[in-house]
Amino acid sequence: MPAPATFLGYIDEHADRFIKRLADAVAIPRRLNAFSVSGDRTHREDVVKMAKFMEDQLKALGVQTRLVDLGTENLEGHEIKVPPAVLGKIGEDPGKKTILVYGHFDVQPAIKSDGWNTDPFTLTIADDGQLIGRGSSDDKGPILGWLNVLEAHKDLGIELPVNLRLVFEGMEESGSIGLDEFIAAEHARGKDGWFHGVDAVCISDNYWLNTRTPCVTYGLRGLVYILVEVSGPTRDLHSGVFGRTVHEPMTDLIALLGKLVTSDGKILVPGVDDMISAADDEEKALYECLDYSIADIEASAGAPIALSDDKIQVLMGRMRQPSLSIHGIEGAFYGAGAKTVIPAKVTGKFSIRLVPPQTPDKINPLVVQYLEAEFAKLNSKNKLRVLLEHGGKPWVADIKHWNYEAAIKATQAVYNKRPDMTREGGSIPVTLTFAETLGVNVLLLPMGRGDDGAHSTNEKLDRSNFIEGTKLLGTYLHEVAAINA
Amino acid sequence: MPAPATFLGYIDEHADRFIKRLADAVAIPRRLNAFSVSGDRTHREDVVKMAKFMEDQLKALGVQTRLVDLGTENLEGHEIKVPPAVLGKIGEDPGKKTILVYGHFDVQPAIKSDGWNTDPFTLTIADDGQLIGRGSSDDKGPILGWLNVLEAHKDLGIELPVNLRLVFEGMEESGSIGLDEFIAAEHARGKDGWFHGVDAVCISDNYWLNTRTPCVTYGLRGLVYILVEVSGPTRDLHSGVFGRTVHEPMTDLIALLGKLVTSDGKILVPGVDDMISAADDEEKALYECLDYSIADIEASAGAPIALSDDKIQVLMGRMRQPSLSIHGIEGAFYGAGAKTVIPAKVTGKFSIRLVPPQTPDKINPLVVQYLEAEFAKLNSKNKLRVLLEHGGKPWVADIKHWNYEAAIKATQAVYNKRPDMTREGGSIPVTLTFAETLGVNVLLLPMGRGDDGAHSTNEKLDRSNFIEGTKLLGTYLHEVAAINA
């Protein structure tokens, strides 16, 4: 039972109205980065306004709604209320599966002078069909896609094929404060909890690998972020006066950072790379058939610097292997020009992206032990401290679950293409929360393309991705219902 | 022929008047750092005022003076006149030696809020005799010491034992713009040049090793400052998306910086350490008898981080060995907190302090060749550029010259102690200019102590250093005249 043809036709026919709704949503500016603007009430109210906009839209579509108070956050010393999450509930038919849909209505900051060609909060429709504006792709477009689906069903009098639970939050770009706790608390309430009965989760908040082929995403890497502090003198020293008389913290730190990873990406911390079993032929085939080439990666990086000419190798490096990146050093000279300082205390910063079975709890001790052992070898009189900044577990879903089967079928139905089955190199923490707390299968079903520029200037969503993507979301629900599971 | 007793008595008797003159000089604020304040006319005029102050004082003492226009400098796009140097000439007696005296009347910036206990531009006399104020030790105290010497001789009717040439500049803290060119141009004029007939140079612009024992300084290290730039992608990348897919510039840069120097200071660039012959027992004895201990070094660094417990080893590390310090990285993440960036272009900065026979021309090619060879070993697709920022040759004088003999005798006469014979780890470029351009012996004869805090807050000159130091400068001139050379 694919989606009814009337549904698909309705989406095409009402495309302009859907785009108008996206324009209305984009025009409600955004939440400024909580950490750069202290308690900016104006913008905080914009996010609350966006929550009300979502609630009004949902109510008009007959959805039972609830605004959830997620508590407060501390903004530069002030406790400030976090914008509410907007929940929606449709259907409690025990004969239907229940799908939880997640998305977010807050967006990244944007000002025209950053390099936007158009006002970021006025949705601009380009001649080639690009819908340009902050949030068009991340993540207002996708969440409005769900509204489009509901509207089509309501107007056409088609019954929704599943029970739906909607969770739209306004803090995704600022650490999803309060959301994990809310999910855990509701889950703990058992049968009375808001998430009771959810069979699977669908999140539309990422992107295709490329600009051509839709994808379904079943994995995300985790992360440990580590600070390596080496300190010696009580104040910065002059290299003329102290050069070759004392142990210099920078020399020691550079030696430690130089023992972490090779130029071709191998992680030298013992036990880290070894934790990952090699891919078998079946798994390698998954990467081989992805519509993504070395040329794509190098175009995206802007230079021919891929670690290998072997596409499988490079894609596995991103999707199913850990990676270690050195980000920088705090406390050393960082300006332009020349300064002959011996910095007194320097803190190197690096992170390791994790894949199963790696977890922060397994990786952190290996890193600490290794750094301490390597530092001991230096015979330095300086002091070492290793600080664990934050971490998150990786996530990989079972792609043989009906949830994935439905997403794959829906993609084939709408796009007439088998989707790329991808794992992302980065993290979307709420994915893991849903998977672990609710114990259900989670699926990432993106709407936008790899070049949409989320978090960047001139963010866009292609008109065809918005319209076909809306069809995809609706079709997915019908495919879910059609599977006998 | 030591200095006349009447001269020494005069200095003691007129100490308060000399301190009053220092207070007047300190009260003429200073030249703000040329590179931090664009064309601040007010402060530029303060330095010009200080030049006039010096000229007036010299004229009143019967010195033939000359203000030298040193041209212009570019301050953030504006060509601005450099404060004039003040020259003085006394005596053209062919039967006397001619000593060139150098000092500077500009000072480092200072504002009370940086941590000064008193107004930096009001000379404060502490109970323990410290004369606290910006420039008290660096370098207004020493240049006024020369004026004190002239005043005593004039008032007492004692003939100066040598011909004197005075060079006082107002740009020492900002790169001595125009001075080298002036010295070279005058020297090129031969017999008509202002420096014609100079037999030796005495510079009072550095410090004792400690707070106890006067020193005479006969060497300075040179410098090469090197930038190692590694670039890859055209923009910063996200470590989730690109980690383990591309060669990361930071990984390569850290690998290169890690191959430069060991934690205990050995320079790994082939040929650099090897260029220095080992010290023989006679030379080692020079270091052994210096009044400076490991404890002094560690007190100065604020931590027990000396490279060795062997005093000779550590002092030689500072004075007669090259040193390599890594100062920092431009382009990487340097802030507090955590950021998961892969920086697109990073520039490591390090410098090597040089000792004879090392010169920038000999050292730079070794460094470039080594970095390029090590980078090639990485097999990285990133790009390397090695940039040579600036450099200066080291300087070591012949301490058996009569100039040193006079300084040592004068120190023994005034302080009743044999001076520490020191080499400095840092650089005073004009020293080398005088030595090389004029081809004469140059001597550093400091007035202040190792803890004076030049360039720091609460700069001071001890009253006894100012008064005994004045006696030292005068006595030195008499000892110069007394030597049959």
Side-chain angles (χ1 to χ4, degrees):
Chain A
M1 181 183 95
T6 47
F7 164 73
L8 302 175
Y10 183 97
I11 302 299
D12 282 328
E13 283 156 30
H14 295 82
D16 288 342
R17 200 168 78 201
F18 296 152
I19 291 168
K20 170 69 171 59
R21 178 153 56 198
L22 181 56
D24 290 346
V26 166
I28 301 171
R30 48 128 176 165
R31 179 169 191 282
L32 269 181
N33 188 318
F35 302 104
S36 68
V37 178
S38 164
D40 184 325
R41 299 264 172 194
T42 322
H43 287 290
R44 180 56 57 102
E45 279 163 19
D46 282 332
V47 191
V48 174
K49 199 190 289 179
M50 187 64 205
K52 296 264 166 59
F53 173 92
M54 289 303 294
E55 188 190 24
D56 290 346
Q57 297 277 337
L58 290 169
K59 277 185 173 160
L61 293 167
V63 180
Q64 177 189 338
T65 63
R66 176 177 159 197
L67 291 191
V68 176
D69 180 354
L70 293 171
T72 62
E73 69 173 325
N74 194 294
L75 278 185
E76 297 183 3
H78 298 82
E79 283 296 324
I80 299 206
K81 268 184 87 68
V82 157
V86 180
L87 305 186
K89 179 185 278 196
I90 312 171
E92 299 194 87
D93 183 342
K96 294 178 179 171
K97 297 197 188 74
T98 300
I99 296 294
L100 172 66
V101 159
Y102 164 89
H104 64 94
F105 51 83
D106 61 321
V107 298
Q108 283 282 314
I111 45 173
K112 189 159 188 296
S113 59
D114 279 350
W116 285 76
N117 298 325
T118 57
D119 172 36
F121 298 107
T122 303
L123 191 77
T124 304
I125 306 175
D127 292 343
D128 59 2
Q130 290 190 346
L131 311 173
I132 302 161
R134 176 54 88 219
S136 56
S137 182
D138 179 21
D139 187 36
K140 287 178 173 175
I143 60 176
L144 295 190
W146 291 111
L147 297 190
N148 301 341
V149 169
L150 297 181
E151 184 175 315
H153 283 76
K154 180 166 185 285
D155 281 7
L156 294 168
I158 306 172
E159 192 186 332
L160 276 176
V162 298
N163 304 314
L164 269 186
R165 302 291 177 267
L166 311 174
V167 178
F168 297 134
E169 70 159 324
M171 283 292 283
E172 198 270 349
E173 303 292 2
S174 303
S176 294
I177 291 169
L179 187 63
D180 280 5
E181 292 77 3
F182 171 71
I183 294 169
E186 286 295 314
H187 182 67
R189 292 176 60 217
K191 286 192 174 174
D192 298 328
W194 199 83
F195 297 101
H196 179 67
V198 166
D199 294 304
V201 177
C202 180
I203 297 175
S204 190
D205 186 22
N206 66 315
Y207 308 92
W208 298 354
L209 266 184
N210 49 41
T211 58
R212 306 172 295 266
T213 304
C215 78
V216 173
T217 302
Y218 63 99
L220 295 166
R221 290 199 285 195
L223 181 79
V224 292
Y225 199 104
I226 292 165
L227 276 49
V228 194
E229 177 195 289
V230 181
S231 59
T234 44
R235 57 187 174 82
D236 288 357
L237 302 178
H238 186 285
S239 69
V241 181
F242 286 92
R244 208 153 187 169
T245 70
V246 298
H247 290 279
E248 301 187 13
M250 267 298 268
T251 304
D252 294 343
L253 176 63
I254 294 290
L256 292 180
L257 296 180
K259 300 220 163 81
L260 295 173
V261 61
T262 65
S263 180
D264 60 347
K266 286 191 195 70
I267 298 176
L268 299 172
V269 181
V272 173
D273 271 356
D274 308 343
M275 217 175 273
I276 312 306
S277 53
D280 58 20
D281 288 347
E282 186 187 358
E283 191 181 354
K284 281 186 184 165
L286 281 177
Y287 296 99
E288 176 58 42
C289 68
L290 294 181
D291 180 12
Y292 204 55
S293 66
I294 299 291
D296 285 322
I297 284 183
E298 295 189 334
S300 182
I305 55 173
L307 287 178
S308 163
D309 295 332
D310 177 352
K311 162 185 158 176
I312 295 178
Q313 186 82 14
V314 173
L315 284 176
M316 290 201 309
R318 165 171 164 176
M319 297 184 181
R320 61 102 64 208
Q321 280 187 292
S323 64
L324 192 154
S325 297
I326 303 169
H327 308 298
I329 296 175
E330 183 181 352
F333 174 50
Y334 61 84
K339 195 176 164 186
T340 55
V341 67
I342 296 175
K345 183 169 93 172
V346 286
T347 305
K349 305 191 176 184
F350 69 94
S351 64
I352 307 178
R353 301 276 168 179
L354 310 179
V355 295
Q358 298 172 328
T359 62
D361 287 347
K362 286 184 196 166
I363 296 300
N364 281 331
L366 296 177
V367 175
V368 173
Q369 190 180 13
Y370 178 65
L371 287 171
E372 288 177 348
E374 289 299 321
F375 185 71
K377 287 184 198 167
L378 297 179
N379 275 317
S380 170
K381 294 179 183 167
N382 290 320
K383 301 225 175 305
L384 171 73
R385 283 206 309 163
V386 181
L387 305 163
L388 308 172
E389 175 75 8
H390 64 260
K393 288 191 249 185
W395 163 78
V396 173
D398 171 13
I399 60 174
K400 292 175 178 156
H401 190 276
W402 54 257
N403 199 25
Y404 281 85
E405 192 186 329
I408 293 166
K409 282 186 176 170
T411 305
Q412 286 179 309
V414 172
Y415 286 100
N416 200 24
K417 268 190 176 181
R418 195 172 163 80
D420 282 334
M421 298 302 293
T422 68
R423 289 165 65 173
E424 290 266 7
S427 307
I428 307 175
V430 75
T431 308
L432 193 74
T433 305
F434 284 128
E436 294 209 326
T437 307
L438 305 186
V440 297
N441 185 279
V442 180
L443 162 78
L444 305 186
L445 187 60
M447 175 180 273
R449 300 183 186 182
D451 67 346
D452 278 358
H455 293 216
S456 185
T457 52
N458 302 309
E459 179 181 347
K460 60 88 181 168
L461 176 68
D462 289 84
R463 179 192 167 104
S464 67
N465 282 57
F466 189 44
I467 301 308
E468 300 307 305
T470 290
K471 292 180 192 170
L472 174 68
L473 298 179
T475 303
Y476 156 74
L477 298 181
H478 286 275
E479 294 290 356
V480 162
I483 294 171
N484 216 341
Chain B
M1 186 183 92
T6 47
F7 164 73
L8 302 175
Y10 183 97
I11 303 299
D12 281 329
E13 282 156 31
H14 296 83
D16 289 343
R17 201 169 79 201
F18 297 152
I19 291 169
K20 171 67 171 58
R21 178 154 54 199
L22 181 56
D24 291 346
V26 166
I28 300 170
R30 47 119 176 173
R31 180 167 192 280
L32 271 180
N33 188 317
F35 302 104
S36 67
V37 177
S38 164
D40 183 327
R41 297 266 173 193
T42 321
H43 286 290
R44 180 54 59 100
E45 279 162 17
D46 283 330
V47 191
V48 174
K49 200 191 288 179
M50 187 64 204
K52 295 266 165 59
F53 173 91
M54 289 302 294
E55 188 191 25
D56 291 345
Q57 295 277 337
L58 290 170
K59 277 187 174 159
L61 293 166
V63 180
Q64 179 189 338
T65 61
R66 177 177 159 195
L67 292 191
V68 177
D69 180 353
L70 293 172
T72 61
E73 67 174 327
N74 194 295
L75 280 185
E76 297 182 4
H78 298 83
E79 283 297 323
I80 298 206
K81 267 183 88 68
V82 158
V86 179
L87 306 186
K89 177 185 279 193
I90 313 172
E92 300 195 85
D93 183 343
K96 293 178 181 171
K97 297 195 187 77
T98 300
I99 297 295
L100 172 66
V101 159
Y102 165 89
H104 65 92
F105 52 82
D106 61 321
V107 299
Q108 283 281 316
I111 44 172
K112 190 158 187 299
S113 60
D114 279 349
W116 285 76
N117 298 324
T118 57
D119 172 35
F121 296 107
T122 302
L123 191 77
T124 303
I125 306 176
D127 292 342
D128 60 2
Q130 288 189 350
L131 310 174
I132 303 161
R134 176 55 87 218
S136 56
S137 182
D138 181 20
D139 188 34
K140 287 178 173 175
I143 61 176
L144 295 190
W146 291 110
L147 296 190
N148 301 341
V149 168
L150 297 180
E151 183 175 316
H153 282 75
K154 180 167 186 284
D155 281 6
L156 293 168
I158 305 171
E159 191 186 333
L160 278 176
V162 299
N163 303 314
L164 270 186
R165 301 291 176 269
L166 310 173
V167 178
F168 298 133
E169 70 158 323
M171 283 291 283
E172 197 273 346
E173 304 292 1
S174 304
S176 294
I177 291 170
L179 188 62
D180 281 5
E181 292 76 3
F182 171 71
I183 295 169
E186 286 295 314
H187 182 67
R189 292 176 60 218
K191 286 192 176 173
D192 299 328
W194 198 84
F195 296 102
H196 178 65
V198 167
D199 294 304
V201 177
C202 180
I203 297 176
S204 190
D205 187 22
N206 67 315
Y207 308 92
W208 300 353
L209 265 184
N210 50 42
T211 60
R212 302 173 298 267
T213 304
C215 78
V216 173
T217 302
Y218 64 99
L220 295 166
R221 290 199 285 196
L223 180 80
V224 292
Y225 200 104
I226 292 165
L227 275 51
V228 194
E229 176 194 289
V230 181
S231 60
T234 44
R235 57 185 175 84
D236 287 358
L237 303 178
H238 186 285
S239 68
V241 180
F242 286 92
R244 207 154 188 168
T245 69
V246 297
H247 290 279
E248 301 188 12
M250 266 298 269
T251 303
D252 294 342
L253 176 63
I254 294 289
L256 292 180
L257 296 180
K259 298 221 165 81
L260 295 172
V261 61
T262 64
S263 181
D264 59 348
K266 285 190 198 70
I267 298 176
L268 299 172
V269 181
V272 172
D273 272 354
D274 309 343
M275 216 174 275
I276 313 304
S277 53
D280 58 20
D281 288 346
E282 185 188 0
E283 191 183 353
K284 281 186 183 165
L286 280 177
Y287 296 99
E288 175 58 42
C289 69
L290 294 181
D291 181 13
Y292 205 53
S293 66
I294 299 291
D296 284 323
I297 284 182
E298 294 189 334
S300 181
I305 55 173
L307 287 179
S308 163
D309 296 331
D310 178 352
K311 163 186 158 176
I312 295 177
Q313 186 82 15
V314 173
L315 284 175
M316 291 200 310
R318 165 171 164 176
M319 297 182 181
R320 60 103 65 212
Q321 281 187 292
S323 64
L324 191 154
S325 297
I326 304 169
H327 308 299
I329 296 173
E330 183 180 350
F333 173 49
Y334 61 83
K339 195 176 165 186
T340 55
V341 65
I342 296 175
K345 183 170 91 172
V346 285
T347 306
K349 304 189 177 185
F350 69 94
S351 63
I352 307 179
R353 299 276 169 179
L354 310 180
V355 294
Q358 297 171 329
T359 61
D361 286 349
K362 286 183 196 164
I363 296 299
N364 281 331
L366 296 178
V367 175
V368 172
Q369 190 181 14
Y370 178 65
L371 287 171
E372 288 177 347
E374 290 298 321
F375 185 71
K377 287 184 197 167
L378 297 179
N379 275 318
S380 171
K381 294 180 184 166
N382 290 320
K383 301 225 175 303
L384 170 73
R385 281 208 310 164
V386 181
L387 305 163
L388 308 173
E389 175 73 9
H390 64 259
K393 288 192 248 184
W395 163 78
V396 173
D398 171 13
I399 59 174
K400 290 173 180 160
H401 190 275
W402 54 258
N403 199 24
Y404 280 86
E405 191 186 329
I408 293 167
K409 281 186 178 172
T411 306
Q412 286 178 308
V414 172
Y415 286 101
N416 200 25
K417 268 188 176 182
R418 196 174 162 79
D420 281 335
M421 298 302 295
T422 67
R423 289 166 65 172
E424 291 265 9
S427 307
I428 308 176
V430 74
T431 308
L432 193 74
T433 306
F434 284 128
E436 295 209 325
T437 307
L438 305 187
V440 297
N441 185 278
V442 181
L443 162 78
L444 304 186
L445 186 60
M447 175 179 272
R449 301 182 187 182
D451 68 345
D452 279 358
H455 293 216
S456 184
T457 53
N458 302 308
E459 178 182 347
K460 60 87 180 167
L461 176 67
D462 289 84
R463 179 193 165 104
S464 67
N465 283 58
F466 189 42
I467 301 307
E468 300 307 304
T470 291
K471 291 179 191 170
L472 175 67
L473 299 179
T475 302
Y476 156 74
L477 298 181
H478 286 276
E479 294 290 357
V480 162
I483 294 170
N484 216 340

